[in-house]
């Protein structure tokens, strides 16, 4: 049972999916922290990163 710390019921596919979900949101958080920092050097590079994340997020919302 998962409540007792037994994660044997978690399939490798689900773990892989959750790991990639977490990695995406780690990247999103880093992007937002850079954005709100007011760093004047973000410019077009951040726009490109944002567009990339928008296309990537589609798989999480499906």
């Amino acid at each position: 049972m998962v409540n007792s710390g037994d994660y044997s019921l978690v399939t490798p596919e689900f773990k892989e999916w959750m790991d990639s979900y977490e990695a995406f949101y780690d990247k999103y958080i880093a992007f937002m922290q850079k954005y709100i920092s007011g760093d004047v050097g973000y410019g077009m590079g951040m726009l490109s990163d944002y567009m990339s994340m928008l296309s990537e997020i589609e798989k999480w919302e499906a």
Side-chain angles (χ1 to χ4, degrees), residues 8-61:
S8 65
L9 299 175
V10 176
T11 65
E13 294 83 10
F14 181 73
K15 181 173 181 348
E16 180 181 345
W17 187 87
M18 288 303 296
D19 289 346
S20 63
Y21 182 80
E22 180 181 11
F24 171 79
Y25 276 98
D26 286 344
K27 185 170 51 171
Y28 176 76
I29 290 167
F31 173 84
M32 291 307 293
Q33 287 172 334
K34 184 176 181 181
Y35 176 75
I36 64 173
S37 74
D39 182 5
V40 294
Y42 60 80
M44 293 304 288
M46 284 194 71
L47 179 59
S48 174
D49 291 345
Y50 183 71
M51 296 307 288
S52 175
M53 283 191 290
L54 283 178
S55 65
E56 194 175 334
I57 202 167
E58 290 175 0
K59 71 180 177 183
W60 306 120
E61 294 181 348

